[in-house]
Amino acid sequence: MAASLLLAAAVTVASFPAGAQTAAAEGQKLAFDRNKGNCLTCHEIKGGSQAGNIGPALADIKSKYPNRADLVAIVSDETRRNPLTVMPPFGRNHILTGTEIDAVVDFLQTL
């Protein structure tokens, strides 16, 4: 059983380029970090704990937002698209750098 799980994990990891794996892993750390991305305050995310329910559950993101630029724009400053949002403008307010936003988006696209 353990060998099967290890093999499945190895196949999954091997199916993504190393750079994408690293960026997505960094993005997950940022998204779950209560002092940085803090996504779990408002969103339910697979693998996260103590999730909020103010925002939608973050699942099936790549099919909901096939255009990566749309997702970057949402994380950077959702107020441009929806002035009434309660989502913080992570880019505009310098909560996350451009590189950090890219990593978070890489992570979100794995959900």
Side-chain angles (χ1 to χ4, degrees):
M1 176 84 167
S4 299
L5 291 174
L6 286 173
L7 180 58
V11 169
T12 301
V13 169
S15 66
F16 295 104
Q21 291 172 18
T22 303
E26 182 61 26
Q28 181 179 18
K29 286 179 193 173
L30 290 163
F32 288 2
D33 184 336
R34 297 288 180 175
N35 295 311
K36 203 62 171 154
N38 203 18
C39 301
L40 289 167
T41 295
C42 299
H43 300 280
E44 179 183 332
I45 305 172
K46 181 181 175 183
S49 62
Q50 300 177 339
N53 60 4
I54 295 168
L58 299 181
D60 202 24
I61 297 298
K62 199 159 191 172
S63 68
K64 291 177 186 172
Y65 299 99
N67 183 345
R68 188 177 197 289
D70 291 341
L71 198 51
V72 169
I74 289 168
V75 175
S76 295
D77 187 358
E78 174 62 355
T79 64
R80 289 179 179 226
R81 201 174 71 134
N82 176 5
L84 301 178
T85 187
V86 295
M87 184 163 164
F90 290 95
R92 188 186 78 209
N93 285 355
H94 307 288
I95 299 166
L96 297 173
T97 67
T99 301
E100 291 171 329
I101 289 170
D102 283 337
V104 168
V105 168
D106 287 340
F107 166 62
L108 294 175
Q109 288 186 313
T110 69
L111 301 176

